[in-house]
Amino acid sequence: MAEALVHDLIEEERSRREARRLALRAFRPRRAFAGFAAALLVTAAGGTAAIELLAAALGSAVHPVPGVAALAGVLRRRTWDDPNVVVVAGAVAALGAAFLAAALPGRLRGVPLDGADPRQAGLIGRAALRRSLADAALGVPGIERARVRGLGVFRRGLVVRAGTHYRNPANLADLVRAAVDARLDGIEPMHRPDVEVRLGWRKD
């Protein structure tokens, strides 16, 4: 009995990891244009170099690729400290850095939802999630306004700014946090964000 239970737990965790990988792969923006441009550039440069090297290995004095002879003549007349060479080298380095940056994984189009079925993947928009959590905070008696911020590129947590007309809020901030946590339990985001509640109340 215990062995079967452990086996079921292992299978469930494995399915959950598969579902997470599927969600990240399905909802991450594609880099098709950058990949196509990089592949085209590498193919053209490699093909040109291969043709020229093959011609040189066969002892041909003629450059078979049009324009290579003129380019080779220009390069022979330049030195490494030539300003034009430095500018072109900098441009090539910048182009390479741009391709590397484009190859980095893109930002997800929303917040992936947790799940145990590897054949399904769900996602909720960041704005929709913030509105839902603000609505949960407004459901707490005494809260008259609420706004949720966070879920940015560098900020992984959530800040709930709530306001009340009470002069003595007591444990109202804890109630707001509990309401937001309960809503997150229902939504089940894949990576649960930390929640910080900032409560404002009447001071007069």
Side-chain angles (χ1 to χ4, degrees), residues 4-126:
L5 180 60
V6 171
H7 181 269
D8 291 342
L9 290 175
I10 293 174
E11 287 297 324
E12 181 180 354
E13 182 61 26
R14 184 179 294 117
S15 297
R16 194 175 296 276
R17 285 198 301 267
E18 288 293 330
R20 289 178 177 178
R21 279 196 291 268
L22 172 64
L24 293 176
R25 188 167 57 248
F27 298 121
R28 195 173 293 282
R30 302 288 186 260
R31 302 291 191 176
F33 178 77
F36 175 76
L40 186 63
L41 183 62
V42 170
T43 301
T48 301
I51 293 172
E52 288 294 323
L53 289 173
L54 182 61
L58 295 176
S60 174
V62 179
H63 294 281
V65 179
V68 172
L71 179 61
V74 171
L75 292 177
R76 288 192 186 98
R77 293 193 298 270
R78 302 288 181 179
T79 59
W80 285 109
D81 57 352
D82 190 294
N84 293 327
V85 174
V86 174
V87 169
V88 172
V92 171
L95 181 63
F99 277 127
L100 286 177
L104 294 175
R107 186 189 183 196
L108 290 174
R109 293 186 289 269
V111 179
L113 302 179
D114 203 3
D117 190 349
R119 298 167 298 178
Q120 297 179 353
L123 180 129
I124 183 173
R126 290 179 175 83

Side-chain angles (χ1 to χ4, degrees), residues 116-194:
D117 190 349
R119 298 167 298 178
Q120 297 179 353
L123 180 129
I124 183 173
R126 290 179 175 83
L129 179 61
R130 289 194 295 265
R131 284 194 301 269
S132 179
L133 298 180
D135 182 67
L138 287 172
V140 177
I143 296 299
E144 57 183 10
R145 62 184 181 277
R147 188 176 61 179
V148 179
R149 289 289 179 265
L151 292 176
V153 178
F154 301 105
R155 188 182 186 90
R156 298 302 178 186
L158 291 171
V159 177
V160 181
R161 297 182 182 273
T164 179
H165 58 276
Y166 292 167
R167 289 182 174 85
N168 181 15
N171 66 335
L172 201 54
D174 295 332
L175 295 177
V176 171
R177 183 178 291 103
V180 171
D181 285 338
R183 183 63 59 88
L184 285 173
D185 289 339
I187 296 174
E188 293 186 348
M190 182 179 296
H191 302 289
R192 189 184 182 97
D194 296 328

